[in-house]
Amino acid sequence: MSMLGLHSLLRGLPSVTLSAITLTITACSSGGSSSVEGPLQSQYIDAQQPQLLITGGQGDVMVTLLDDDLLHIAYHSELSAGQPYFSPMLAQTQFDGPASHQYDPSSQTLSTALLSVTLEKGCLLTTDLSQPEPITLTRLCLAESDGDELELTLSQENFSHIYGLGQKLDTSDDGANWLGEERLPATSTGNAMTYSDIAASGDTQIPVAYVLGEGMDNYGLFFDTHYPLSFDFESPQWQVSSEEPSLGVFLFTGADLKQLRSRYLDLTGRAPVPPLKAFGLWVSEYGYDNWQELDSKLASLKQAQFPIDGFVMDLQWFGGIETSSEDTQMGSLTWDREAFPEPEKKVVALAEQNIALIHIEESYVGAGLPEYQQLAEKRQLAMDCEAPCTTPSKLSSNPWWGIGGMIDWTSSSARVDWHNEKRVALIDDGFLGHWTDLGEPELYDYSSIYSGLEWYGESRTDHPSVHNLLNFYWSQGIAEQTAASHPDRRPWILSRSGAAGSQRFGVAMWSGDVASRFLAVEAQMPAQTNMSLSGFDYYGSDIGGFHRGGTSGRNLDTLYTRWLATSVLMEIPLRPHTENLCNCKETAPDRVGDQVSNLANLRTRYRLTPYLYSLAHHATLTGEAMFPPLVYHFQQDANARDVDQTKMIGESLLFTAITDNEDQVNSYLPAGSWVNYYDLAEVTQSSGAVFQHSVTGPLSEGETVVRAPLFMRAGAIVPTLGEDVADLGRVAAADIQWFENLQLNVVADSQSHQFSLYEDDGLTQSYLNDGLAETVIELAPQADGYLVTLSPNQVAKSSAAQRQLSVTFVTPEDTISQVEVNGEKLPQVTPQSGDIGWYLLKGGLVAVLGEVSVGAEQAIRFVR
């Protein structure tokens, strides 16, 4: 090992005491043990982060207790005492060590109060000690190799489900559970676009796995490597293979899947809260040729009274591309002022209508552009040779965008310079976010040389060593340099690829250029399950399909409407998108599909904004998933584990995706009481069963719309907008943007429940400091009824703002005879009066409180 590598491993740790205990063991080749032959030595190192060093095989193994429930295992040719190596994907690199630990030399067991690891027959036996009866998690063994690769085996024990491992769209019927399957890299270098009859979709490695057994038995694994990994879960001896022999593995335990996911996000970072406008509708296509085309879309949407918050600008904004030519505009990132004259004024004019823009950028730069030579001279492109030469790798094998080079995002100077030279002006113009496309990367030269990265003390500059981190560094550059140039601005990036940890840079991912087919929507559901568990709350699709193929007319209308009805409940940003170079296709929801249904579903989405935006804040604060699979909240329900099409929205809402053109869908409802969101009088008492639900429902007298079934569970607290809105507000920063017309939807329950409503300015980073208003909403059962309270924090209390407030209280089993607000009886009124008071409706009642202060505490009693 080089001195650089030794210093890397020793940095930041206090001095350690090497125990006098050094044991020699023999590795066996029988089942369930290491196949590495010969004597092994183990050495216990007593430190703040106690370690067990195993030497004598083909390489060293270092076991480190980072916390009471967190174990790190490193594999490398030569390891020394001290802090383990962590990849750039890690956000947390400092650990306090366990509160207490023990080492038993006779059994070679290193343990905390919650977790133990035993060196047994050359393998590492891990045990969860938090349960009344200890649970064997897995027996992790190192298989024999030639030293240039690494293969681990893990025993299955009594575990039955494996989730996570990133993004892969698959048309098989196996769902999100990887047990019995293989999870292989897309190519020998890793992340790539894969092609099938349903999509040109991204296959993205996020190497975190959640392993579930009976009841609440579970543990998590995070493989801290950006090199491609192959997972084979087909036999009881699982195999994890890497062509890179150095690897770090985190093993962590927790009370449930929710806690495991939060633990993983502690390691790799939580996503920041996107701008409020990110929660609205963003209309996109490839692409708008000029301002007139965009204006036409906006005008028809407004005329049809559709809400909209922004447009996504594809390649045409900078002049488009020139196929097979070095004279392409790819990489110019400068307005085409003939097609888009006076762009600065236009962006301001759109902002005055509360319409924002996102721009696309790629890593590629046409060889005919002056930027190409400037980047080459600074070695900020992928290069053909070692320094000091300045010859870039010229990419021409698939020149659909032109011929040129690729920016080397591993170069810190490239990340700084490109931002300052290109993005700063665009942010100043008013762009709200960044669309980073083709970031797998789609096209590259395998022999290119990069600035590179450190890996276990060595400098790695070859393409295979940086491939899976190029999009990660790209996003990191946007987030970090934006923080330097525009410190108040929130990072928001729409990306086609990434890595573990990309979410902490404000990355939302989408599934790629999917086809206009129901099979693509169906495949999106298990992919979304695993992306949610891989730490990506913001994950979506090209709604309606990018590649239309032969889908048109009535078939397209049916597909689009049902796709949108599903996406409004789970995708941020909400982005219809299609290839429209012919200017003969439509993607705006007023122009394709059933207009009445599209409008109704979008209004449902917009009304849910206070709930969704609060979930986003909660996710940032706690790591809790926004759109989790059922197993996340109902882990003990064995039937819920293999359900992908029915999902949760936070803790309170459940919906079922529409993935075909049938009249009904099968919804799995876990045990409990479920209230139809659209018809409060429809209550389902479930013991954990599948129910058939229609995908159509009444909107008004004589009007029926297509919509995904949506339910509130007992105890739900769902704040929504009390009226339909045209958009989600301003583009320029100001004070807190209050939800001025707020409706609380509360479902009675025999248990107490709580939900925090979060409000901020919707744009800046002030929510991280003193600009976040929290109103705690609590439901508490009482002897004679129920009490709903609103308790604002000091930020809200200091405001003079007012809002309209009403409460829809759902009482499936009770009849309310009286409503009191802050100790005063509220009069009973008629629904049409518009007066302050309360009135009955099927399934419950509505209490109209009128205008109230956002900072005033409210106590609303519903008396039987």
Side-chain angles (χ1 to χ4, degrees):
M1 173 178 285
S2 66
M3 287 301 294
L4 174 62
L6 181 59
H7 290 163
S8 172
L9 290 168
L10 291 176
R11 64 183 182 272
L13 257 188
S15 60
V16 300
T17 301
L18 296 183
S19 168
I21 302 170
T22 301
L23 299 175
T24 301
I25 60 174
T26 301
C28 305
S29 57
S30 59
S33 58
S34 172
S35 61
V36 179
E37 299 289 347
L40 299 178
Q41 287 188 329
S42 66
Q43 187 175 60
Y44 166 58
I45 302 162
D46 188 9
Q48 182 179 354
Q49 298 171 12
Q51 295 181 307
L52 189 64
L53 175 62
I54 305 163
T55 59
Q58 295 166 327
D60 291 353
V61 181
M62 178 71 83
V63 179
T64 306
L65 293 179
L66 298 174
D67 207 337
D68 290 313
D69 57 358
L70 181 63
L71 175 70
H72 185 270
I73 306 166
Y75 299 90
H76 186 59
S77 58
E78 184 179 354
L79 294 169
S80 301
Q83 178 171 300
Y85 169 83
F86 300 130
S87 80
M89 298 185 292
L90 267 289
Q92 181 182 9
T93 57
Q94 298 296 321
F95 299 88
D96 294 334
S100 63
H101 75 278
Q102 292 181 330
Y103 178 65
D104 182 351
S106 61
S107 63
Q108 296 189 86
T109 298
L110 190 58
S111 61
T112 72
L114 302 178
L115 182 65
S116 75
V117 56
T118 300
L119 182 57
E120 183 181 272
K121 295 184 178 180
C123 297
L124 298 173
L125 176 66
T126 56
T127 305
D128 183 354
L129 304 177
S130 66
Q131 306 296 329
E133 293 292 332
I135 299 170
T136 299
L137 300 178
T138 191
R139 187 183 300 270
L140 193 155
C141 305
L142 179 63
E144 187 175 4
S145 70
D146 58 8
D148 293 329
E149 59 186 22
L150 186 72
E151 182 175 301
L152 305 176
T153 65
L154 296 90
S155 60
Q156 178 178 339
E157 302 302 327
N158 294 317
F159 293 91
S160 58
H161 289 76
I162 303 168
Y163 301 104
L165 299 179
Q167 174 187 235
K168 182 177 178 63
L169 258 66
D170 192 352
T171 56
S172 70
D173 296 327
D174 299 317
N177 182 16
W178 287 108
L179 188 71
E181 304 294 325
E182 289 183 308
R183 174 67 170 104
L184 304 178
T187 68
S188 61
T189 50
N191 295 347
M193 290 291 281
T194 57
Y195 299 87
S196 69
D197 58 349
I198 64 164
S201 63
D203 188 320
T204 308
Q205 173 175 291
I206 312 290
V208 59
Y210 302 91
V211 185
L212 274 59
E214 184 178 351
M216 305 302 285
D217 294 351
N218 54 225
Y219 68 98
L221 293 164
F222 173 56
F223 298 86
D224 185 22
T225 181
H226 56 279
Y227 286 94
L229 295 176
S230 297
F231 298 88
D232 184 349
F233 303 115
E234 292 183 321
S235 69
Q237 287 297 320
W238 303 336
Q239 292 184 332
V240 181
S241 304
S242 171
E243 294 184 4
E244 162 58 42
S246 302
L247 175 66
V249 182
F250 291 87
L251 186 150
F252 46 100
T253 60
D256 53 22
L257 181 56
K258 182 187 301 186
Q259 195 174 99
L260 290 179
R261 182 184 186 271
S262 181
R263 192 62 159 131
Y264 163 69
L265 288 176
D266 288 342
L267 293 174
T268 60
R270 299 172 190 160
V273 178
L276 178 59
K277 295 188 79 65
F279 293 75
L281 172 67
W282 290 77
V283 180
S284 177
E285 66 175 53
Y286 176 43
Y288 303 115
D289 294 322
N290 47 51
W291 288 130
Q292 290 77 16
E293 187 177 348
L294 187 149
D295 287 341
S296 171
K297 311 287 186 182
L298 178 59
S300 68
L301 283 162
K302 293 280 191 182
Q303 184 175 4
Q305 298 184 322
F306 274 74
I308 179 172
D309 275 275
F311 289 89
V312 183
M313 307 291 288
D314 214 315
L315 304 178
Q316 288 81 357
W317 81 268
F318 56 70
I321 55 174
E322 190 69 33
T323 299
S324 301
S325 172
E326 293 188 0
D327 295 323
T328 180
Q329 285 299 107
M330 180 68 90
S332 67
L333 294 192
T334 303
W335 282 102
D336 176 357
R337 292 179 179 266
E338 291 187 11
F340 300 93
E342 299 185 305
E344 298 85 359
K345 291 183 180 179
K346 183 63 175 180
V347 174
V348 171
L350 288 170
E352 290 174 350
Q353 302 178 64
N354 288 331
I355 300 300
L357 298 178
I358 298 174
H359 69 86
I360 196 170
E361 65 170 275
E362 283 85 0
S363 297
Y364 301 109
V365 181
L369 294 175
E371 290 91 342
Y372 179 84
Q373 191 57 44
Q374 293 164 6
L375 290 164
E377 289 173 358
K378 294 185 287 186
R379 288 187 60 85
Q380 293 177 348
L381 296 174
M383 306 301 287
D384 254 357
C385 46
E386 299 282 358
C389 95
T390 57
T391 305
S393 299
K394 191 173 288 187
L395 305 173
S396 59
S397 62
N398 182 21
W400 67 266
W401 54 264
I403 296 173
M406 181 171 67
I407 298 174
D408 175 10
W409 298 116
T410 69
S411 164
S412 59
S413 66
R415 298 196 295 269
V416 172
D417 291 351
W418 193 251
H419 177 84
N420 290 335
E421 293 166 12
K422 296 295 182 180
R423 293 193 203 101
V424 166
L426 297 173
I427 297 172
D428 289 342
D429 285 348
F431 276 104
L432 191 63
H434 311 269
W435 176 14
T436 58
D437 199 9
L438 318 181
E440 293 78 19
E442 181 177 279
L443 184 63
Y444 57 90
D445 186 334
Y446 190 89
S447 61
S448 289
I449 303 298
Y450 297 79
S451 176
L453 52 91
E454 179 191 311
W455 180 253
Y456 282 84
E458 299 176 5
S459 176
R460 300 286 178 92
T461 60
D462 59 300
H463 182 85
S465 291
V466 304
H467 180 96
N468 281 351
L469 281 182
L470 284 170
N471 209 143
F472 174 93
Y473 280 120
W474 188 4
S475 300
Q476 181 185 38
I478 293 174
E480 291 183 350
Q481 296 314 307
T482 299
S485 66
H486 297 77
D488 284 342
R489 179 187 171 94
R490 296 186 196 179
W492 186 35
I493 304 167
L494 179 62
S495 181
R496 203 174 74 178
S497 191
S502 287
Q503 71 280 348
R504 71 177 182 264
F505 304 128
V507 167
M509 282 184 60
W510 92 101
S511 52
D513 301 341
V514 293
S516 295
R517 297 189 62 188
F518 275 116
L519 282 175
V521 188
E522 183 178 352
Q524 184 85 10
M525 297 305 115
Q528 188 276 337
T529 290
N530 283 326
M531 283 298 283
S532 171
L533 295 176
S534 296
F536 286 81
D537 287 306
Y538 308 107
Y539 178 67
S541 64
D542 286 349
I543 298 168
F546 181 80
H547 294 293
R548 292 279 170 87
T551 304
S552 60
R554 181 178 297 177
N555 289 337
L556 177 61
D557 287 341
T558 299
L559 171 70
Y560 182 99
T561 296
R562 291 168 178 235
W563 198 329
L564 181 66
T566 295
S567 296
V568 296
L569 299 176
M570 62 180 281
E571 296 187 9
I572 299 171
L574 187 69
R575 189 179 68 105
H577 183 61
T578 196
E579 179 277 311
N580 189 29
L581 294 177
C582 63
N583 286 325
C584 61
K585 303 169 188 175
E586 299 292 356
T587 188
D590 65 315
R591 300 189 179 200
V592 59
D594 179 69
Q595 187 179 107
V596 175
S597 295
N598 293 345
L599 179 57
N601 285 313
L602 279 167
R603 284 177 170 170
T604 295
R605 165 60 173 261
Y606 272 74
R607 288 221 173 191
L608 284 170
T609 299
Y611 180 65
L612 297 177
Y613 196 59
S614 297
L615 290 180
H617 275 284
H618 196 59
T620 299
L621 290 167
T622 70
E624 188 163 334
M626 293 181 63
F627 306 100
L630 289 186
V631 63
Y632 184 81
H633 286 298
F634 301 96
Q635 186 171 331
Q636 289 181 299
D637 184 343
N639 294 323
R641 296 188 174 196
D642 297 313
V643 176
D644 291 312
Q645 294 188 10
T646 299
K647 299 180 182 293
M648 298 296 293
I649 309 173
E651 289 186 342
S652 293
L653 294 178
L654 174 151
F655 77 95
T656 297
I658 311 173
T659 59
D660 57 35
N661 59 3
E662 299 296 326
D663 295 332
Q664 294 182 318
V665 295
N666 292 325
S667 301
Y668 181 80
L669 301 183
S673 178
W674 299 93
V675 178
N676 188 327
Y677 181 83
Y678 307 109
D679 181 359
L680 303 182
E682 181 186 317
V683 181
T684 303
Q685 300 293 339
S686 176
S687 58
V690 175
F691 297 85
Q692 281 197 330
H693 294 107
S694 174
V695 299
T696 60
L699 180 64
S700 60
E701 188 173 345
E703 226 172 13
T704 300
V705 294
V706 174
R707 57 194 181 195
L710 178 63
F711 301 90
M712 295 185 289
R713 66 190 295 193
I717 301 173
V718 182
T720 62
L721 298 178
E723 61 182 357
D724 295 322
V725 295
D727 53 65
L728 295 178
R730 56 184 176 245
V731 177
D735 294 331
I736 290 177
Q737 185 169 322
W738 303 98
F739 298 119
E740 295 178 349
N741 194 322
L742 188 67
Q743 175 180 319
L744 302 183
N745 302 274
V746 182
V747 182
D749 192 30
S750 59
Q751 304 294 320
S752 294
H753 297 270
Q754 185 175 294
F755 183 82
S756 286
L757 171 72
Y758 290 105
E759 296 162 287
D760 58 27
D761 64 17
L763 287 165
T764 74
Q765 302 272 29
S766 65
Y767 75 92
L768 297 172
N769 301 308
D770 57 357
L772 181 61
E774 177 187 13
T775 302
V776 178
I777 307 165
E778 188 168 6
L779 166 67
Q782 296 187 322
D784 61 347
Y786 306 89
L787 178 64
V788 174
T789 57
L790 286 76
S791 303
N793 70 354
Q794 291 303 316
V795 175
K797 286 181 178 179
S798 65
S799 173
Q802 304 282 307
R803 66 162 136 239
Q804 296 292 322
L805 179 64
S806 63
V807 181
T808 298
F809 191 62
V810 185
T811 55
E813 299 178 355
D814 279 331
T815 300
I816 300 301
S817 62
Q818 181 176 306
V819 179
E820 299 175 0
V821 178
N822 298 327
E824 300 289 332
K825 288 184 180 180
L826 201 64
Q828 190 168 0
V829 298
T830 59
Q832 296 79 19
S833 69
D835 295 333
I836 293 174
W838 68 278
Y839 57 86
L840 294 171
L841 76 166
K842 289 183 178 180
L845 61 90
V846 175
V848 180
L849 279 64
E851 190 172 82
V852 302
S853 169
V854 298
E857 296 192 4
Q858 306 289 339
I860 307 129
R861 289 188 67 232
F862 300 92
V863 184
R864 294 188 185 93

